[in-house]
Amino acid sequence: TFDSVYEMFNPLTDVRDQHFWEWFSGKQIDSRWTLQNNTALPTVAMQDSVDGGLLMTNTGAGSGGSLVFNGIKQYGKPCSCVMVIKNTTANGITYAGFDRTGAPDSSGSSNSTAVIEMGASTYMNLVVTDNGSYWDRTATSIATANTDWWGVKIDVKASSVELTMNGTLEATRASVSPSTTMQPCIQGRNAGANCTTYIRYFEAYNT
């Protein structure tokens, strides 16, 4: 007999890696997520439609807010996250992936970031920071005006970060990667227009 399901397949000397997934289904968002006020709290609501997921809306000039793990930073390199996401307003900016402080639009001295940026410029971007030592934006080939659903994967490696979209490697930041632990983060920011972010799946794991 075994004292736990874990012991059925793993020796207790093995420390299990962090791994979570979120389907954004049901009537309300899971309590593990925290709404963080960067400049104004976003509005979040589950969509009453097939595969609608969660809608996060940021309104008001310059406003921004995030869904985060309340400062619980389980994920350090190497780590990866996978999401199904879209931004339906080209002038509103969505950031999603890993972030230390929950404010990936900031390159402050304590922040580390590995996120997709949707809506900021002509093309969607991979944004990477590390303790404020640099702010790097690497463009993909995907126009920011594209409002389709995207399967996004971000791989934070020992010395690089890769962004894959719908199975195609779209951007690589070579030679650098965040050096501190981070938390899952989904941020919207009004940048001349309300930001509407839809997300129906998020998974993160240490690799």
Side-chain angles (χ1 to χ4, degrees):
T1 61
F2 297 92
D3 292 329
S4 67
V5 173
Y6 184 77
E7 291 177 74
M8 294 172 63
F9 304 100
N10 305 274
L12 288 180
T13 52
D14 290 350
V15 179
R16 188 176 182 181
D17 289 338
Q18 299 286 346
H19 191 171
F20 102 99
W21 48 92
E22 175 70 70
W23 289 97
F24 293 105
S25 61
K27 291 185 177 180
Q28 60 191 24
I29 192 168
D30 192 278
S31 60
R32 60 186 157 193
W33 293 98
T34 298
L35 273 175
Q36 177 173 299
N37 181 1
N38 298 323
T39 55
L41 280 177
T43 300
V44 297
M46 292 295 185
Q47 298 305 286
D48 186 15
S49 60
V50 176
D51 290 333
L54 178 83
L55 168 62
M56 183 168 68
T57 305
N58 297 81
T59 61
S63 67
S66 304
L67 279 171
V68 292
F69 268 24
N70 199 28
I72 301 173
K73 301 176 281 288
Q74 309 106 310
Y75 301 99
K77 63 180 179 183
C79 59
S80 299
C81 65
V82 178
M83 66 196 90
V84 180
I85 190 169
K86 67 178 178 179
N87 176 342
T88 61
T89 48
N91 290 325
I93 305 173
T94 294
Y95 298 94
F98 291 119
D99 187 78
R100 182 170 179 79
T101 65
D105 59 340
S106 170
S107 56
S109 60
S110 63
N111 207 23
S112 290
T113 302
V115 295
I116 184 172
E117 180 184 58
M118 310 171 84
S121 54
T122 304
Y123 297 100
M124 298 183 194
N125 300 298
L126 170 64
V127 174
V128 180
T129 71
D130 181 29
N131 289 322
S133 60
Y134 54 83
W135 169 270
D136 181 81
R137 181 182 280 122
T138 305
T140 70
S141 65
I142 310 300
T144 197
N146 189 308
T147 59
D148 295 335
W149 285 103
W150 288 96
V152 174
K153 184 180 182 184
I154 298 172
D155 291 310
V156 181
K157 299 184 176 183
S159 59
S160 65
V161 181
E162 295 179 351
L163 170 64
T164 301
M165 300 179 67
N166 287 0
T168 300
L169 180 63
E170 284 286 344
T172 300
R173 178 56 169 103
S175 303
V176 295
S177 66
S179 61
T180 55
T181 56
M182 299 171 290
Q183 61 187 321
C185 178
I186 307 158
Q187 184 193 45
R189 184 161 67 83
N190 179 303
N194 295 341
C195 181
T196 53
T197 303
Y198 291 83
I199 184 163
R200 62 189 185 200
Y201 182 74
F202 196 112
E203 179 181 3
Y205 49 95
N206 287 315
T207 56

